[in-house]
Amino acid sequence: MNDTPPLLNTRPEWLALEAHYRQSARLHLRDLFAADPRRAEKFTVTAEDLLLDYSKNLVTEETMRLLHDLAAAVEWEKARDAMFSGKIINRTEQRAVLHTALRNRNNRPVLVGGHDIMPDVNRVLAKMADFANAVRDGSWHGYTGKPVVNIVNIGIGGSDLGPAMACEALRPYARHELKTYFVSNIHAAHLSEALRDLRPEETLFIVTSKTFTTQETMTNARTAREWLLYTLKDREAVARHFVAVSTNAREVAAFGIAPDNMFEFWDWVGGRYSLCSAVGLALMLAIGPEYFTEMLKGFHAMDRHFQEAPAEGNLPLLLAMLGVWYNNFFGAQSHAILPYNQYLSRFPAYLQQADMESNGKSIDQQGRRVAWQTGPIIWGEPGTNGQHAFYQLLHQGTKLVPADFIGCCRPHCPTGDHHDKLMANFFAQTAALAFGRTQEELRAAGTPEELLPHKTFEGNRPTNTILAEDLNPHLLGRLIALYEHKIFVQGVIWNVYSFDQWGVQLGKELAGCILPELQAAADPELRHDASTNALIRHYRLAQHRGL
Ligand code: G6Q
């Protein structure tokens, strides 16, 4: 039996969308809204208090039908079920993809190679909770008997961005006497600035690394260990001030971290999908096990929604299809994530990794070069800051930038009327982007003729509005899972492997080769290209001048 799927761009459903695009490219949101008073209602879906209004997109009911046809043709439901059931869907690494098991709150068995992984998941969660409670109530203390007041997570990429983003997002739920810091960059400034005002005897390091071999993390961890021992002077102190989150027990022990102080996870958890695993330890320490569990329940609720909601109301599926519409038919190169919530300031950066490392691929699952666009460039900043920076381009530039506006109805800081003002901007921006301002409107308002072209807003800029009641742990879980599953569906449509990341290897290997050349006492023989050779020589000369 030949199970090679047809090329995406030869599928009849794809060709139908291309034809539909040619017909609908001249549509304007002004006309679409004028023609259908029920448009907003028709194109709004909810899951609990999470509302998605996608009516300000350049779509008609026909567009949505055709997009659903495409999703059905690639059998997204079959692919989803394969992921949830633990099939080896990450074939280039021969791994199952089971971040959903980490928050499987109904505890139904999940089998990997015939072994139910739920007892392992629950055992590690319980161990994390015991540890978090002990640190938070002061019964875990440092080498000199002092309680921990500083938590420093040392990790990078998937071992940093999730807990760093979530600690910021859930700051109102955190214990304020415990300060959390995240050190990822190998630039020594990151570690030294974080440690500048900290006292070693009150500081706990979490070395978070799936492999425990990552250059940046291990270099930072070793420097942190020296910093600690410089003051505490006894290697035994390491056991009270360092814990590890890893899959590599051997390397953890070699570093001097006691096996009891290692929180394990498994190779079926991808780095960028690992927040619900022990990688979330810094977050659990900050907000406590109860709120952490609330977040897991939120993830689980969205997992269930993704599995059970009908296609027309399935939020991750809808976001995925709308993204495909712009990415593949309108030629949009990027997608903006614009949270109107300061606590979500790291959310765009988090999604940047989740999306771009997952779907930034150009080879399909059969090893052929794709002839269609895959993952977009993800970027963004919190509103309203972005309005005073890059929104000019969104409103009047030559590029189409679809955007997700994310906001909450209730504030955590009910100070004056800040929140109403924030949200007035939130609603205003999507309306301005969609409907613009016409020359007739400007003329009627007395705008001088020569300024008319400059002050005109064409509108027709597509946005999704994602609105929730308030930013709590449960919502954060749902929001992250919403995007995880959106990314998953897009990977299925584009027929790429979303759970590997071979594209990060080459640079790492070359850096490994260049490092000894930078450090050699005598001028090394350089065998790179002319540009890289010259740059290395320049660097070495500058270093010597500085001696
Ligand atoms: C994420 C990637 C990557 C990874 C980092 C850190 O999906 O795999 O960002 O998380 O390279 O790796 P370690 O956790 O092994 O240090």
Side-chain angles (χ1 to χ4, degrees):
M1 200 178 86
N2 180 8
D3 61 359
T4 303
L7 290 168
L8 178 61
N9 58 351
T10 62
R11 287 182 183 273
E13 297 81 6
W14 181 275
L15 301 176
L17 275 161
E18 277 183 342
H20 176 69
Y21 169 74
R22 284 193 291 274
Q23 286 159 15
S24 59
R26 278 184 300 277
L27 287 180
H28 199 291
L29 284 167
R30 277 196 289 266
D31 305 323
L32 295 174
F33 272 83
D36 184 358
R38 292 191 51 240
R39 181 177 170 89
E41 196 186 315
K42 277 187 198 157
F43 289 148
T44 295
V45 289
T46 53
E48 301 179 50
D49 68 308
L50 193 58
L51 175 153
L52 166 66
D53 175 352
Y54 64 98
S55 63
K56 294 192 187 90
N57 278 289
L58 307 176
V59 296
T60 60
E61 286 171 275
E62 171 74 350
T63 321
M64 295 312 294
R65 194 181 61 70
L66 294 171
L67 286 167
H68 277 291
D69 288 348
L70 179 67
V74 299
E75 301 185 292
W76 73 277
E77 286 164 302
K78 195 169 150 198
R80 173 199 63 194
D81 296 345
M83 174 173 73
F84 275 84
S85 66
K87 295 238 164 64
I88 307 281
I89 63 166
N90 175 1
R91 294 218 198 98
T92 63
E93 295 180 309
Q94 278 300 305
R95 288 175 184 168
V97 174
L98 278 172
H99 43 280
T100 51
L102 300 167
R103 63 264 188 148
N104 173 24
R105 302 310 295 169
N106 63 23
N107 273 316
R108 283 204 200 108
V110 179
L111 302 180
V112 173
H115 163 76
D116 179 14
I117 57 176
M118 288 317 299
D120 292 336
V121 168
N122 291 327
R123 176 177 48 78
V124 175
L125 281 172
K127 180 171 166 175
M128 288 165 66
D130 286 347
F131 180 68
N133 285 331
V135 170
R136 286 162 66 85
D137 69 18
S139 53
W140 173 282
H141 46 76
Y143 178 70
T144 65
K146 292 215 167 118
V148 169
V149 294
N150 309 305
I151 314 276
V152 182
N153 185 81
I154 298 179
I156 196 165
S159 295
D160 165 73
L161 285 160
M165 176 277 290
C167 275
E168 188 57 32
L170 299 178
R171 198 184 266 267
Y173 296 84
R175 159 91 51 95
H176 289 285
E177 307 80 66
L178 264 185
K179 302 268 178 262
T180 39
Y181 303 84
F182 289 86
V183 174
S184 52
N185 201 330
I186 200 161
H187 190 187
H190 204 180
L191 182 67
S192 56
E193 292 296 340
L195 301 186
R196 184 183 295 281
D197 299 321
L198 309 191
R199 281 198 285 267
E201 57 272 28
E202 298 175 336
T203 302
L204 176 75
F205 292 95
I206 306 176
V207 185
T208 305
S209 176
K210 184 170 171 178
T211 52
F212 229 71
T213 55
T214 303
Q215 187 193 50
E216 293 88 337
T217 300
M218 297 324 297
T219 305
N220 278 325
R222 282 190 285 268
T223 305
R225 187 176 56 185
E226 276 169 33
W227 174 83
L228 182 98
L229 292 176
Y230 181 78
T231 307
L232 299 182
K233 310 243 182 298
D234 182 354
R235 288 195 80 81
E236 298 290 307
V238 173
R240 299 304 299 174
H241 291 271
F242 277 81
V243 299
V245 173
S246 189
T247 57
N248 190 344
R250 208 163 49 89
E251 288 296 327
V252 169
F255 184 88
I257 295 179
D260 276 359
N261 295 344
M262 169 173 148
F263 298 83
E264 66 178 301
F265 64 118
W266 308 273
D267 70 0
W268 41 262
V269 183
R272 56 193 173 275
Y273 296 91
S274 64
L275 176 61
C276 297
S277 73
V279 170
L281 184 61
L283 174 66
M284 192 192 269
L285 284 160
I287 64 173
E290 288 78 19
Y291 284 136
F292 192 86
T293 305
E294 271 306 297
M295 182 188 77
L296 296 183
K297 286 182 184 165
F299 270 99
H300 183 56
M302 185 53 72
D303 293 344
R304 297 288 298 268
H305 170 90
F306 181 49
Q307 288 178 289
E308 292 165 11
E312 305 68 48
N314 198 300
L315 268 65
L317 175 68
L318 290 169
L319 286 186
M321 295 188 314
L322 291 164
V324 167
W325 182 228
Y326 300 118
N327 188 61
N328 295 97
F329 298 93
F330 283 76
Q333 293 279 325
S334 79
H335 187 103
I337 304 290
L338 307 170
Y340 275 62
N341 192 312
Q342 187 58 27
Y343 290 121
L344 288 176
S345 58
R346 298 290 292 153
F347 197 54
Y350 173 77
L351 289 185
Q352 206 166 50
Q353 186 200 20
D355 202 319
M356 294 170 75
E357 211 167 58
S358 297
N359 287 338
K361 315 280 165 72
S362 50
I363 299 298
D364 77 4
Q365 292 203 4
Q366 286 65 42
R368 305 168 292 196
R369 195 179 166 87
V370 295
W372 47 88
Q373 287 292 311
T374 60
I377 299 157
I378 300 290
W379 62 286
E381 280 289 326
T384 55
N385 294 3
Q387 290 173 207
H388 297 265
F390 53 78
Y391 277 35
Q392 165 65 38
L393 183 149
L394 303 191
H395 284 286
Q396 289 189 315
T398 51
K399 297 187 172 52
L400 179 75
V401 184
D404 292 355
F405 279 69
I406 304 170
C408 295
C409 298
R410 286 198 300 270
H412 271 291
C413 311
T415 310
D417 62 356
H418 285 239
H419 194 69
D420 287 341
K421 286 176 177 160
L422 171 76
M423 294 306 283
N425 278 281
F426 175 82
F427 297 120
Q429 286 296 329
T430 60
L433 286 162
F435 305 114
R437 177 161 288 161
T438 62
Q439 296 222 346
E440 293 67 47
E441 287 165 343
L442 287 164
R443 213 172 263 126
T447 308
E449 272 310 302
E450 69 276 16
L451 285 182
L452 286 181
H454 300 287
K455 297 185 96 174
T456 298
F457 288 72
E458 285 170 9
N460 226 22
R461 268 60 171 174
T463 57
N464 291 309
T465 297
I466 296 171
L467 189 59
E469 299 243 316
D470 66 347
L471 179 55
N472 51 43
H474 197 268
L475 174 72
L476 183 68
R478 282 179 288 151
L479 205 53
I480 299 171
L482 168 64
Y483 279 97
E484 284 178 349
H485 297 321
K486 168 202 165 172
I487 293 164
F488 172 78
V489 173
Q490 292 191 328
V492 172
I493 293 178
W494 294 323
N495 190 29
V496 294
Y497 283 123
S498 297
F499 296 101
D500 61 18
Q501 56 283 315
W502 296 107
V504 302
Q505 291 303 328
L506 179 58
K508 275 193 212 172
E509 282 165 29
L510 286 178
C513 180
I514 291 172
L515 179 61
E517 295 168 351
L518 302 185
Q519 295 176 334
D523 280 344
E525 189 188 340
L526 299 174
R527 294 182 182 186
H528 308 283
D529 59 278
S531 161
T532 308
N533 288 346
L535 290 167
I536 293 172
R537 282 190 203 106
H538 182 89
Y539 175 87
R540 285 179 57 89
L541 275 175
Q543 292 262 305
H544 288 141
R545 275 198 299 273
L547 284 179

